Amino acid sequence: MRTPGKLAGKALATAGALAALVVLLFPLYAVVIASFENNGQLIASSHYNFFPPSWTLSNYRSVLSAQGGHVLSSLIIALGTAVLTLAISLPAAHALSRYRFRVTGLLVGGLLIAQILPSIVIANSLFVLYHHLHLLNSYPGLILADASYAVPFSILVLRAFMLSLPRDVLAACRCDGAGEWQAFVRVVLPMSRSAIITVAVFAFLQGWSDFIFALTLLSGGTFEPVTLSIYTYVGEFATSWGEAMALATFAVLPAAMLLIAAQRYIAAGLTVGSVKGLPVKGFSIKGLPSKDYRRHPMRITRALAIAGAAVLTVTAAACSGGSGSSGVGPGGKVTITEFDYFTTGGGSQAITQFNKQFMKTHPKITVKRTDVPYADLITKILQDASAGDMPNLMMIDNPDVPEVAETGQLVPLDGMPGYTTKGYTPGAIGECTYQGKHYCYPMGTNTVGMFYNKAMLAAAHVSPPKTWAQLQADAKKLTTSSHYGIAFDATNDEQSTWQLEPFAWSNGGKLSDVDTPQFEQALQLWVNMVKDGSASKSVLSWGQDPDLTQQFLHKKAAMIEDGPWIFPELNAAGWKYGKQYGIVPIPVQRPGQKVITPLGGETADIGASGSTAQQQASWQWIKYMQQPSVMKKLTSTAFYLPDKPAVIKQYLKGGPEYTVFAKEIESAEPRTTQYGANYPKVSQAIWTAIQSAITGTSSVPAALRTAQGTISSVPKVSG
Amino acid sequence: MAVASIRSGEWGFKGVARFRRVARWAFLVPATAYVLFAFVIPIAYNLILSFEQTSLATISQLFAPSAGFSNYSAVLGNPIADSAIVRTFSFTVLSLLFQFVIGFGLALLFNLRFPLSRFARSLVLVPWLLPLLVTGIIFKFLFQLQAGAVNQILQDVGLISHPVGYTLAPGWAYVTVLVTNIWLGVPFFTVLLFSALQDVPAEIVDAARIDGAGPWQRLIHVKLPVIRPVIEVVFVLGFVFTVKVFDVVIGITNGGPANSTQLIATWAYNLSFQDFDYGQGAALNTVLLLIALVAAPVYIWLNRESLRGDTL
């Protein structure tokens, strides 16, 4: 009976469903579109393009070259999770469906509860336990953890399915005198083919999608699945959306492919896994035909065996790299390991060149270098420190030095032959000092200044700011509908504290007393510039590099607070100091105040776990770096300033763009003077206050009062 | 037990019977070992950690000095943890409410059987299959201030005149994370409720129709009572998924700005892995665990049939 009303209803339903689909699928469309868009286009554009004006493959090119390995890692993890899950669940489901145990109810109840347990709870414990089992940063460790998503679900689904198998086949098998194992392998497994596929698909997707365990149980350096690499990527390059979305496309690909290939298994598994066993009449395992087992009875077992063997081989290959030794080979040759976070750019180039040159002049020493992302290095080193298995040499960000030294896993340099503090800037020595001992030499130094776009300032008829009042007025005048007057870094990490420090310190503020007018005025200045629209609210999510650099280069910001590490990007874009841009010191509140900026830069440190020969060889490496000619070359390649005033003088002849920073460094201070190893806690309290104040969650004084509450409970450096 | 004795009777050898019984248990060994390794021991160890004075230096010892209840008092006295607990509740309730309303609506829609309904149904699953973290990152991109898609759509429609910094203002950031979580949870509700509606026996519905019940009455008085158990399960599972939400928040806001989207799980992560205070992290984890376990008795009750120990 087809009535016009019914037809209209159907048309309406179709339209409704399509509308719902548009909403549900639009995000995916947006991802794919953005992955083909030019990054510069995405940043510079003032409105969203539903259909981009031009297309590019460059995002995929750079993602494939930089992240291709992560896709492989994800595949290994996902396959491993699927294989392990099946290996555990199949026998258990078989036993629970075929034999009567007194504990069946208890076991099934336990599995139901296991499904409920939050993964973050498990991850927290596993992190410490894995530490002792040496399973951190390993495929087996991560796969074992990832299977926890899938095992309870799989056993329950497989058991429910096996319970529905026809009795007579098993009975016949039993009559033939087949053993338990044979009945399981020859009859139950082939008949459960479709349920096995369902479970394998789910376990694969869980392993592929995992983020919590990857985040907590891996610390970079060894391998990284796609989820973790997207997270790190977006954290590091907050505005490089084109590449991030190309990476996201890779991450969603398996889901899309599986949906096409195994749709009915997924839908069935979802339903069965959730509601099987319920007293609902008519619930059957739909979409899971059990009849096609006759065709290829052994196929699954064989496929599983092959997949398992493949995973084991790859895992073994991946695990077999590197193990500790005294590092001393025949003929007195010494091998030392070196860790840093210069994954790209000038820093990476500088270290590579330096290592080459060092090995040429020291033929008995071999340096093995590993670079891991910034966010991972300190976690990795702290983990290694607690395990007593440090790299021989490491380049640590200077505010982190006391925290690592506190573990007792760094070698003090005071006893090393020829160690001296003479000829260095006081800050360089200060940042390496912990409890009266010296643990490092800086590789180079930097700090922040105010970059400005010359053309924009000229067009707005303003001169570079020297005081806060000028800064605020300039920023306001420089703001137009297409760009902001100023940009700085107010993200929720150390970088935003580091960018506020010069304002607060020059104004007389101290880290130990942040609820004072000196500190409040500095933060208020930032808040005012966001409030009056001179700075974008996005400062809350823009890192100083490359986000601020990109804003500056794409002329979205007339001034940015940044440092010499952005020179390579400016050079690459053809921007010249004194022509396109200029730099002034961080403005002070009143004329005549001295600019006090925080000292930045990495330090070279020696780990305590190496042999004496390795420690001595590492010291040779650090000492070699201190020769004026080497220091000059290294720092200029890495875009740092040297730490010896004598070398700085020569240095400025070839690089006038460093002049402002060289001047600032004369009075710059290390961040760790007051709180040593506890500086990160203080910094966190301050960046939390910065974010509260800029978002308007609390007033500036209230935000800093809260921060003071935290800081007051943090112990200071004694003496 | 009866079954086992009959079987051993067939064989006639007591030794063989005992061997077979051992063999049966052998099938359970991998799973039992795994459950101990991945669930029982970590949960027990989390409890131990929560009563210990921990720092990075203590990680090299399996057991750190005792801290009494100080981790719990520190965590529960921390205003961030406080608001994270309240926020987790409101987030869970709002998520489930919207997921159910939208999911049930879609399920009813698909139940109408129209051209392309099969095709559309399979596509509905997509959001549910994406890695949660990636979903978070994608929505961060859609909701961004400069040239964000959501801002563009709302401006084109005329709902807003200026772009909003959704992830940059505390209230909006919460809404952004909530919307994302609703989006990714709708497929789960839709698929389960749709399949439940499909299983409502046609005879009952027809009988009601003949008795003169309109579509609305058939829904309220016939279909809803029949699918009630599924609705209960969907809510219980939805609660369990949502209360431990982590990836999405980390992907979009990382708990910020100014901790305004911090939930229990994300703050516990912060305590353990940013501040390296595993003890306090473990204490907050215990709180999360207790909240999640509220669902356990209900979930087990709903699955009571599967506990009965049926065999083939």
Side-chain angles (χ1 to χ4, degrees):
Chain A
M1 279 217 303
R2 294 203 157 203
T3 63
K6 250 192 179 168
L7 270 179
K10 285 202 184 220
L12 215 66
T14 314
L18 288 180
L21 277 185
V22 168
V23 174
L24 284 173
L25 298 181
F26 173 73
L28 285 182
Y29 169 80
V31 171
V32 176
I33 291 295
S35 73
F36 288 109
E37 257 190 281
N38 183 310
N39 231 334
Q41 194 174 300
L42 279 167
I43 295 172
S45 168
S46 57
H47 60 93
Y48 180 78
N49 288 314
F50 289 95
F51 198 78
S54 66
W55 303 76
T56 173
L57 280 174
S58 68
N59 297 322
Y60 283 94
R61 237 173 273 132
S62 62
V63 159
L64 267 181
S65 64
Q67 314 268 353
H70 302 147
V71 178
L72 186 68
S73 293
S74 278
L75 267 179
I76 295 173
I77 295 161
L79 277 175
T81 306
V83 170
L84 179 68
T85 301
L86 287 178
I88 294 169
S89 318
L90 282 170
H94 171 65
L96 287 175
S97 67
R98 195 164 172 219
Y99 316 124
R100 197 173 278 272
F101 298 99
R102 284 208 191 97
V103 291
T104 299
L106 193 73
L107 288 174
V108 173
L111 291 171
L112 289 171
I113 291 180
Q115 277 188 295
I116 291 175
L117 301 175
S119 298
I120 187 70
V121 184
I122 297 168
N124 193 37
S125 293
L126 282 187
F127 174 71
V128 186
L129 294 171
Y130 271 21
H131 189 85
H132 293 269
L133 296 168
H134 298 286
L135 282 173
L136 289 174
N137 291 314
S138 73
Y139 279 108
L142 187 60
I143 290 170
L144 274 168
D146 282 355
S148 69
Y149 294 118
V151 165
F153 165 85
S154 302
I155 297 180
L156 294 170
V157 168
L158 288 170
R159 172 172 181 253
F161 184 85
M162 288 174 183
L163 279 173
S164 73
L165 291 178
R167 266 159 216 267
D168 47 345
V169 183
L170 270 176
C173 164
R174 205 172 285 151
C175 291
D176 292 346
E180 305 290 330
W181 179 251
Q182 281 171 314
F184 171 59
V185 173
R186 288 244 203 92
V187 182
V188 176
L189 284 190
M191 284 172 74
S192 308
R193 179 173 180 249
S194 48
I196 292 176
I197 296 176
T198 304
V199 163
V201 166
F202 269 77
F204 180 92
L205 280 177
Q206 300 280 21
W208 181 273
S209 309
D210 164 65
F211 172 63
I212 295 187
F213 290 119
L215 181 68
T216 50
L217 304 179
L218 305 179
S219 57
T222 39
F223 67 96
E224 205 176 64
V226 176
T227 47
L228 189 55
S229 75
I230 295 186
Y231 174 68
T232 334
Y233 189 86
V234 174
E236 214 169 322
F237 308 95
T239 48
S240 298
W241 282 113
E243 286 167 22
M245 291 299 118
L247 200 51
T249 307
F250 276 110
V252 303
L253 217 55
M257 278 163 25
L258 280 173
L259 190 73
I260 295 166
Q263 195 236 113
R264 74 181 165 156
Y265 296 103
I266 291 172
L270 183 57
T271 327
V272 179
S274 310
V275 286
K276 183 56 198 170
L278 277 175
V280 183
K281 194 181 156 284
F283 253 112
S284 59
I285 304 194
K286 270 186 306 200
L288 294 185
S290 59
K291 294 220 170 95
D292 53 0
Y293 66 91
R294 280 169 214 283
R295 277 186 299 156
H296 306 286
M298 288 308 284
R299 220 192 214 170
I300 318 155
T301 9
R302 209 175 299 144
L304 281 179
I306 293 169
V311 171
L312 284 179
T313 321
V314 180
T315 314
C319 296
S320 64
S323 59
S325 70
S326 73
V328 184
K333 286 204 167 184
V334 187
T335 304
I336 51 176
T337 52
E338 181 257 316
F339 264 65
D340 60 69
Y341 54 75
F342 300 107
T343 49
T344 54
S348 176
Q349 208 186 329
I351 296 280
T352 310
Q353 281 179 9
F354 173 78
N355 277 339
K356 217 188 250 169
Q357 201 185 335
F358 174 76
M359 287 192 271
K360 214 187 240 168
T361 51
H362 299 75
K364 290 204 164 170
I365 304 175
T366 310
V367 185
K368 273 195 177 158
R369 176 177 176 222
T370 308
D371 54 339
V372 301
Y374 172 76
D376 299 330
L377 185 92
I378 190 68
T379 323
K380 170 120 190 82
I381 286 180
L382 288 171
Q383 281 178 12
D384 290 346
S386 53
D389 183 23
M390 298 280 268
N392 300 118
L393 266 170
M394 62 218 102
M395 311 295 283
I396 304 177
D397 199 9
N398 73 77
D400 296 330
V401 170
E403 198 181 9
V404 183
E406 192 188 29
T407 63
Q409 291 292 316
L410 286 184
V411 178
L413 302 184
D414 305 81
M416 291 293 181
Y419 176 80
T420 175
T421 57
K422 267 200 202 112
Y424 290 87
T425 58
I429 298 306
E431 68 189 30
C432 281
T433 311
Y434 175 71
Q435 297 195 336
K437 284 187 180 150
H438 303 96
Y439 287 89
C440 54
Y441 271 138
M443 167 188 154
T445 298
N446 55 34
T447 188
V448 285
M450 194 59 74
F451 288 66
Y452 62 92
N453 182 314
K454 287 202 114 169
M456 284 184 178
L457 262 70
H461 305 292
V462 296
S463 51
K466 291 198 173 89
T467 63
W468 291 4
Q470 287 169 2
L471 177 71
Q472 215 178 322
D474 285 5
K476 183 92 193 148
K477 274 189 220 155
L478 287 164
T479 304
T480 69
S481 60
S482 65
H483 60 80
Y484 289 97
I486 187 169
F488 44 85
D489 178 333
T491 48
N492 56 338
D493 56 29
E494 157 61 19
Q495 288 187 350
S496 67
T497 306
W498 138 272
Q499 288 223 338
L500 183 67
E501 276 163 350
F503 290 95
W505 288 358
S506 308
N507 196 30
K510 287 244 171 315
L511 289 181
S512 51
D513 305 282
V514 298
D515 60 346
T516 53
Q518 289 91 332
F519 231 102
E520 281 168 15
Q521 288 158 0
L523 181 51
Q524 192 66 53
L525 172 71
W526 275 22
V527 171
N528 289 345
M529 290 193 292
V530 175
K531 259 195 191 148
D532 70 10
S534 315
S536 166
K537 266 210 152 194
S538 293
V539 294
L540 289 163
S541 64
W542 283 341
Q544 56 183 11
D545 188 44
D547 301 329
L548 292 188
T549 327
Q550 292 294 314
Q551 296 297 316
F552 194 53
L553 281 174
H554 285 102
K555 300 179 182 150
K556 304 292 276 184
M559 298 185 281
I560 57 168
E561 184 183 350
D562 232 311
W565 50 85
I566 75 168
F567 287 149
E569 280 168 272
L570 298 179
N571 293 344
W575 284 41
K576 292 213 168 53
Y577 175 73
K579 200 149 188 217
Q580 279 82 8
Y581 71 97
I583 306 169
V584 285
I586 298 293
V588 289
Q589 197 207 11
R590 292 182 310 273
Q593 275 179 330
K594 195 174 181 189
V595 187
I596 303 173
T597 57
L599 271 179
E602 286 66 28
T603 64
D605 304 59
I606 302 179
S609 34
S611 64
T612 317
Q614 283 173 318
Q615 291 183 8
Q616 287 301 331
S618 304
W619 169 240
Q620 292 294 319
W621 191 86
I622 295 180
K623 228 171 101 180
Y624 186 64
M625 206 180 257
Q626 308 308 314
Q627 298 182 9
S629 62
V630 180
M631 181 183 272
K632 202 176 144 197
K633 175 103 192 290
L634 179 77
T635 47
S636 70
T637 319
F639 298 96
Y640 281 93
L641 275 159
D643 291 289
K644 293 182 169 175
V647 186
I648 295 181
K649 245 186 202 164
Q650 303 177 355
Y651 194 79
L652 290 181
K653 283 180 196 156
E657 65 270 34
Y658 288 92
T659 315
V660 164
F661 300 109
K663 183 95 186 104
E664 282 181 334
I665 277 170
E666 288 171 16
S667 55
E669 285 176 12
R671 283 162 278 176
T672 46
T673 312
Q674 281 186 293
Y675 285 95
N678 291 319
Y679 173 74
K681 281 183 186 152
V682 174
S683 167
Q684 189 186 22
I686 294 175
W687 86 60
T688 307
I690 294 174
Q691 288 223 317
S692 299
I694 290 184
T695 55
T697 313
S698 41
S699 67
V700 169
L704 286 171
R705 256 199 311 281
T706 310
Q708 186 63 47
T710 311
I711 293 173
S712 299
S713 69
V714 176
K716 276 199 225 179
V717 171
S718 49
Chain B
M1 279 291 102
V3 181
S5 61
I6 291 168
R7 267 184 224 147
S8 60
E10 283 169 17
W11 286 78
F13 290 102
K14 275 218 168 126
V16 173
R18 195 170 303 136
F19 174 76
R20 292 200 124 190
R21 209 170 299 139
V22 172
R24 281 165 204 172
W25 278 101
F27 281 107
L28 285 178
V29 168
T32 314
Y34 185 75
V35 167
L36 283 177
F37 170 84
F39 299 106
V40 178
I41 293 174
I43 297 297
Y45 191 64
N46 183 71
L47 268 179
I48 298 173
L49 273 180
S50 72
F51 290 103
E52 286 180 351
Q53 193 81 53
T54 57
S55 73
L56 259 176
T58 64
I59 199 183
S60 49
Q61 306 143 253
L62 205 46
F63 299 102
S66 166
F69 281 90
S70 68
N71 287 329
Y72 286 92
S73 55
V75 161
L76 295 175
N78 188 327
I80 298 176
D82 256 14
S83 54
I85 293 173
V86 175
R87 197 174 294 123
T88 304
F89 271 111
S90 73
F91 185 82
T92 308
V93 170
L94 289 173
S95 286
L96 291 184
L97 204 68
F98 281 102
Q99 283 169 350
F100 176 75
V101 170
I102 300 171
F104 194 51
L106 284 179
L108 287 173
L109 188 66
F110 286 126
N111 204 30
L112 291 178
R113 300 216 165 276
F114 51 87
L116 292 179
S117 78
R118 224 186 132 76
F119 168 73
R121 239 187 306 138
S122 67
L123 282 180
V124 162
L125 269 175
V126 170
W128 192 75
L129 292 175
L130 305 185
L132 292 173
L133 176 87
V134 178
T135 306
I137 301 276
I138 294 172
F139 274 73
K140 183 182 186 174
F141 171 63
L142 295 177
F143 277 89
Q144 68 174 334
L145 171 61
Q146 267 92 357
V150 173
N151 270 323
Q152 191 65 49
I153 293 170
L154 294 181
Q155 274 179 297
D156 289 350
V157 177
L159 278 175
I160 52 173
S161 54
H162 292 288
V164 177
Y166 296 101
T167 54
L168 307 168
W172 279 117
Y174 176 84
V175 173
T176 306
V177 179
L178 184 67
V179 167
T180 310
N181 196 58
I182 292 169
W183 179 83
L184 67 90
V186 160
F188 175 75
F189 276 73
T190 307
V191 170
L192 288 190
L193 294 172
F194 168 76
S195 119
L197 283 173
Q198 290 281 294
D199 283 329
V200 175
E203 315 91 68
I204 316 182
V205 183
D206 286 341
R209 198 202 318 263
I210 292 163
D211 287 348
W216 183 249
Q217 284 169 312
R218 290 201 297 274
L219 175 66
I220 299 289
H221 296 293
V222 181
K223 290 180 184 167
L224 268 184
V226 176
I227 67 168
R228 209 191 72 196
V230 179
I231 296 178
E232 287 165 359
V233 163
V234 173
F235 266 105
V236 170
L237 285 177
F239 171 80
V240 169
F241 291 151
T242 315
V243 89
K244 56 187 176 190
V245 99
F246 179 83
D247 308 32
V248 179
V249 183
I250 296 285
I252 301 178
T253 63
N254 231 325
N259 290 314
S260 61
T261 50
Q262 211 67 262
L263 302 180
I264 303 180
T266 56
W267 184 242
Y269 167 77
N270 266 334
L271 287 172
S272 288
F273 294 95
Q274 307 279 300
D275 305 351
F276 293 107
D277 197 331
Y278 309 99
Q280 288 197 12
L284 190 55
N285 273 330
T286 309
V287 175
L288 177 62
L289 192 64
L290 290 177
I291 296 173
L293 283 179
V294 167
V298 190
Y299 189 42
I300 288 178
W301 169 251
L302 291 171
N303 280 287
R304 59 193 175 279
E305 266 202 356
S306 64
L307 293 177
R308 277 209 317 244
D310 290 349
T311 56
L312 262 183

